[in-house]
Amino acid sequence: MRVRWIKSRSRKGPGVTSAGTLGSVPAAALLPALRARFGALLRELSKFGAVGGVAFAIDFVIFNVLLRSGMESLLAKTCSTVLATTVAFLGNRFWTWRHRSHAGMARQYTVFFLLNGVGLGIGLACLAISHYGLGSIWPEFQTPLADNISGQLVGTAVGTLFRFWSYRRFVFGETVVPEPAPAPAPADPAVPVDEVAPHPTHPTTSTVVRRM
Protein backbone atom coordinates (compact mmCIF):
# COMPACT_ATOMS: atom_id res chain seq x y z
CA MET A 1 0.00 0.00 0.00
CA ARG A 2 1.39 3.41 -0.97
CA VAL A 3 1.49 6.05 1.72
CA ARG A 4 0.54 9.58 0.66
CA TRP A 5 1.99 12.47 2.58
CA ILE A 6 -0.41 15.34 3.11
CA LYS A 7 1.11 18.82 3.47
CA SER A 8 -0.66 20.96 5.99
CA ARG A 9 -0.32 24.76 5.90
CA SER A 10 0.20 26.50 9.20
CA ARG A 11 -2.07 29.45 9.61
CA LYS A 12 -0.73 32.60 11.19
CA GLY A 13 -2.83 34.66 13.49
CA PRO A 14 -3.59 38.28 12.57
CA GLY A 15 -0.89 40.73 13.53
CA VAL A 16 1.79 38.07 14.10
CA THR A 17 4.91 37.92 11.96
CA SER A 18 6.90 34.86 11.02
CA ALA A 19 9.28 35.45 13.90
CA GLY A 20 6.41 35.28 16.37
CA THR A 21 6.38 39.02 17.16
CA LEU A 22 3.50 41.41 16.88
CA GLY A 23 3.26 43.06 13.49
CA SER A 24 1.75 46.30 14.80
CA VAL A 25 1.98 47.88 18.25
CA PRO A 26 -1.25 49.54 19.47
CA ALA A 27 -1.12 53.28 20.01
CA ALA A 28 -2.20 52.91 23.63
CA ALA A 29 1.03 51.08 24.42
CA LEU A 30 3.14 54.01 23.13
CA LEU A 31 1.47 56.69 25.24
CA PRO A 32 3.11 55.74 28.59
CA ALA A 33 6.57 55.65 26.99
CA LEU A 34 6.09 59.00 25.27
CA ARG A 35 4.68 60.53 28.45
CA ALA A 36 7.65 59.31 30.49
CA ARG A 37 10.14 60.58 27.92
CA PHE A 38 8.46 63.98 27.68
CA GLY A 39 8.35 64.25 31.48
CA ALA A 40 12.06 63.46 31.74
CA LEU A 41 12.82 66.10 29.10
CA LEU A 42 10.80 68.70 31.01
CA ARG A 43 12.63 67.89 34.24
CA GLU A 44 15.98 68.28 32.52
CA LEU A 45 14.90 71.56 30.97
CA SER A 46 13.66 72.95 34.29
CA LYS A 47 16.89 71.99 36.07
CA PHE A 48 18.91 73.46 33.22
CA GLY A 49 16.97 76.72 33.53
CA ALA A 50 17.49 76.85 37.28
CA VAL A 51 21.24 76.30 36.92
CA GLY A 52 21.38 78.95 34.20
CA GLY A 53 19.56 81.44 36.43
CA VAL A 54 22.01 80.88 39.26
CA ALA A 55 24.97 81.23 36.88
CA PHE A 56 23.52 84.47 35.47
CA ALA A 57 23.11 85.91 38.97
CA ILE A 58 26.70 84.99 39.84
CA ASP A 59 27.96 86.57 36.62
CA PHE A 60 26.02 89.78 37.32
CA VAL A 61 27.11 90.07 40.95
CA ILE A 62 30.78 89.22 40.39
CA PHE A 63 31.03 91.56 37.42
CA ASN A 64 29.65 94.52 39.38
CA VAL A 65 31.76 93.74 42.46
CA LEU A 66 34.93 93.65 40.35
CA LEU A 67 33.97 96.89 38.61
CA ARG A 68 33.47 98.64 41.94
CA SER A 69 36.84 97.36 43.10
CA GLY A 70 38.50 99.21 40.20
CA MET A 71 39.18 96.30 37.82
CA GLU A 72 39.16 96.95 34.08
CA SER A 73 35.81 96.18 32.40
CA LEU A 74 36.91 93.45 29.98
CA LEU A 75 39.00 91.70 32.63
CA ALA A 76 36.13 91.90 35.12
CA LYS A 77 33.73 90.43 32.57
CA THR A 78 36.18 87.65 31.72
CA CYS A 79 36.56 86.68 35.38
CA SER A 80 32.82 86.76 36.05
CA THR A 81 32.10 84.73 32.91
CA VAL A 82 34.64 82.04 33.80
CA LEU A 83 33.24 81.74 37.34
CA ALA A 84 29.64 81.63 36.12
CA THR A 85 30.50 79.04 33.46
CA THR A 86 32.22 76.86 36.07
CA VAL A 87 29.17 77.01 38.34
CA ALA A 88 26.90 76.17 35.41
CA PHE A 89 29.10 73.22 34.45
CA LEU A 90 29.12 71.78 37.96
CA GLY A 91 25.38 72.26 38.38
CA ASN A 92 24.59 70.59 35.08
CA ARG A 93 27.05 67.76 35.58
CA PHE A 94 26.07 66.82 39.12
CA TRP A 95 22.39 67.77 39.06
CA THR A 96 20.76 68.26 35.65
CA TRP A 97 22.45 65.35 33.87
CA ARG A 98 23.82 63.35 36.77
CA HIS A 99 22.09 60.23 35.36
CA ARG A 100 24.18 60.38 32.17
CA SER A 101 27.58 58.94 31.42
CA HIS A 102 30.62 61.09 32.25
CA ALA A 103 33.95 60.46 30.51
CA GLY A 104 36.35 62.95 32.10
CA MET A 105 35.82 66.24 33.89
CA ALA A 106 38.63 68.08 32.07
CA ARG A 107 37.33 67.09 28.63
CA GLN A 108 33.72 67.82 29.55
CA TYR A 109 34.60 71.23 30.98
CA THR A 110 36.57 72.17 27.84
CA VAL A 111 33.76 71.17 25.48
CA PHE A 112 31.22 72.83 27.78
CA PHE A 113 33.18 76.09 27.76
CA LEU A 114 33.56 76.04 23.96
CA LEU A 115 29.87 75.36 23.38
CA ASN A 116 29.01 78.11 25.83
CA GLY A 117 31.09 80.45 23.67
CA VAL A 118 29.15 79.31 20.60
CA GLY A 119 25.90 80.07 22.42
CA LEU A 120 27.19 83.52 23.27
CA GLY A 121 28.12 84.03 19.61
CA ILE A 122 24.58 83.10 18.58
CA GLY A 123 23.19 85.82 20.84
CA LEU A 124 25.64 88.37 19.46
CA ALA A 125 24.76 87.32 15.90
CA CYS A 126 21.05 87.94 16.56
CA LEU A 127 21.92 91.42 17.89
CA ALA A 128 24.21 92.18 14.94
CA ILE A 129 21.64 91.06 12.36
CA SER A 130 18.98 93.24 13.97
CA HIS A 131 21.09 96.34 14.68
CA TYR A 132 23.42 96.46 11.69
CA GLY A 133 21.56 94.38 9.09
CA LEU A 134 17.93 95.34 9.52
CA GLY A 135 18.87 98.66 11.10
CA SER A 136 20.55 99.81 7.90
CA ILE A 137 17.17 99.48 6.16
CA TRP A 138 14.79 100.40 8.96
CA PRO A 139 16.21 102.76 11.62
CA GLU A 140 13.67 101.45 14.15
CA PHE A 141 15.88 98.36 14.63
CA GLN A 142 18.73 100.52 15.99
CA THR A 143 16.81 101.77 19.01
CA PRO A 144 17.60 100.52 22.55
CA LEU A 145 14.24 98.72 22.64
CA ALA A 146 15.01 96.82 19.46
CA ASP A 147 18.51 95.95 20.75
CA ASN A 148 17.05 94.56 23.97
CA ILE A 149 14.48 92.50 22.09
CA SER A 150 16.98 91.06 19.60
CA GLY A 151 19.90 90.66 22.00
CA GLN A 152 18.35 89.87 25.37
CA LEU A 153 15.15 88.08 24.33
CA VAL A 154 15.68 86.49 20.92
CA GLY A 155 19.44 86.00 21.20
CA THR A 156 19.27 84.62 24.75
CA ALA A 157 16.39 82.28 23.87
CA VAL A 158 18.08 80.87 20.76
CA GLY A 159 21.44 80.62 22.53
CA THR A 160 19.87 78.84 25.51
CA LEU A 161 18.15 76.30 23.27
CA PHE A 162 21.45 75.66 21.52
CA ARG A 163 23.26 75.22 24.83
CA PHE A 164 20.66 72.80 26.13
CA TRP A 165 20.77 70.69 22.97
CA SER A 166 24.56 70.76 22.61
CA TYR A 167 25.28 70.04 26.29
CA ARG A 168 22.83 67.17 26.25
CA ARG A 169 24.22 65.80 22.98
CA PHE A 170 27.99 66.40 23.09
CA VAL A 171 29.03 67.03 26.70
CA PHE A 172 27.15 64.69 28.99
CA GLY A 173 26.78 61.67 26.75
CA GLU A 174 23.98 59.16 26.72
CA THR A 175 21.66 58.06 29.47
CA VAL A 176 23.09 55.32 31.64
CA VAL A 177 20.61 52.44 31.73
CA PRO A 178 21.33 49.86 34.43
CA GLU A 179 21.48 46.34 33.12
CA PRO A 180 18.71 44.17 34.53
CA ALA A 181 19.78 41.27 36.69
CA PRO A 182 19.44 37.94 34.91
CA ALA A 183 16.44 35.96 36.07
CA PRO A 184 17.26 32.63 37.68
CA ALA A 185 16.56 29.61 35.51
CA PRO A 186 13.45 27.79 36.72
CA ALA A 187 14.05 24.31 38.03
CA ASP A 188 12.57 21.49 36.01
CA PRO A 189 9.58 20.18 37.92
CA ALA A 190 9.33 16.49 38.43
CA VAL A 191 6.96 14.92 35.95
CA PRO A 192 4.26 12.88 37.69
CA VAL A 193 4.18 9.24 36.93
CA ASP A 194 0.55 9.43 35.84
CA GLU A 195 1.38 11.98 33.12
CA VAL A 196 4.07 9.89 31.49
CA ALA A 197 2.88 8.87 28.05
CA PRO A 198 2.84 5.10 27.69
CA HIS A 199 5.07 3.64 25.07
CA PRO A 200 3.17 2.37 22.04
CA THR A 201 3.01 -1.38 21.87
CA HIS A 202 3.77 -3.10 18.63
CA PRO A 203 0.93 -5.20 17.30
CA THR A 204 1.54 -8.91 17.39
CA THR A 205 1.94 -10.63 14.07
CA SER A 206 -0.81 -13.06 13.21
CA THR A 207 0.17 -16.59 12.50
CA VAL A 208 -0.80 -18.16 9.23
CA VAL A 209 -2.42 -21.57 9.42
CA ARG A 210 -1.89 -23.66 6.38
CA ARG A 211 -4.89 -25.64 5.20
CA MET A 212 -4.37 -29.26 4.90
Side-chain angles (χ1 to χ4, degrees):
M1 181 180 62
R2 298 179 61 184
V3 179
R4 297 180 61 187
W5 297 93
I6 302 176
K7 297 182 180 180
S8 60
R9 296 182 179 179
S10 60
R11 298 180 179 179
K12 298 179 181 179
V16 179
T17 61
S18 59
T21 58
L22 293 178
S24 60
V25 180
L30 296 177
L31 292 179
L34 292 177
R35 191 181 299 113
R37 188 170 183 178
F38 185 71
L41 184 63
L42 284 182
R43 286 192 295 271
E44 289 182 358
L45 189 58
S46 61
K47 291 180 180 181
F48 176 79
V51 171
V54 173
F56 176 80
I58 291 175
D59 187 10
F60 180 80
V61 171
I62 296 298
F63 177 68
N64 285 275
V65 168
L66 294 178
L67 283 181
R68 291 180 180 273
S69 64
M71 184 177 291
E72 195 269 333
S73 299
L74 293 179
L75 183 58
K77 184 60 178 176
T78 301
C79 294
S80 63
T81 301
V82 171
L83 291 175
T85 303
T86 303
V87 171
F89 169 75
L90 294 176
N92 287 317
R93 189 181 196 273
F94 294 104
W95 187 43
T96 306
W97 288 295
R98 63 181 178 181
H99 58 284
R100 289 177 170 263
S101 60
H102 301 288
M105 184 172 291
R107 174 193 170 277
Q108 284 184 324
Y109 181 77
T110 302
V111 178
F112 185 91
F113 198 90
L114 293 176
L115 293 176
N116 186 59
V118 175
L120 178 61
I122 291 175
L124 294 177
C126 293
L127 178 60
I129 291 173
S130 173
H131 187 87
Y132 296 104
L134 300 177
S136 62
I137 304 174
W138 298 284
E140 293 82 5
F141 285 91
Q142 293 182 345
T143 60
L145 177 60
D147 289 344
N148 278 277
I149 293 176
S150 60
Q152 298 298 327
L153 296 181
V154 178
T156 301
V158 177
T160 300
L161 290 177
F162 170 78
R163 289 186 183 95
F164 178 77
W165 171 80
S166 61
Y167 296 164
R168 193 172 184 266
R169 177 67 175 83
F170 299 107
V171 180
F172 298 106
E174 300 294 336
T175 304
V176 178
V177 180
E179 296 182 358
D188 296 334
V191 181
V193 180
D194 298 338
E195 297 183 3
V196 177
H199 294 285
T201 57
H202 297 284
T204 57
T205 57
S206 58
T207 59
V208 179
V209 179
R210 296 179 62 185
R211 293 183 181 181
M212 299 300 295

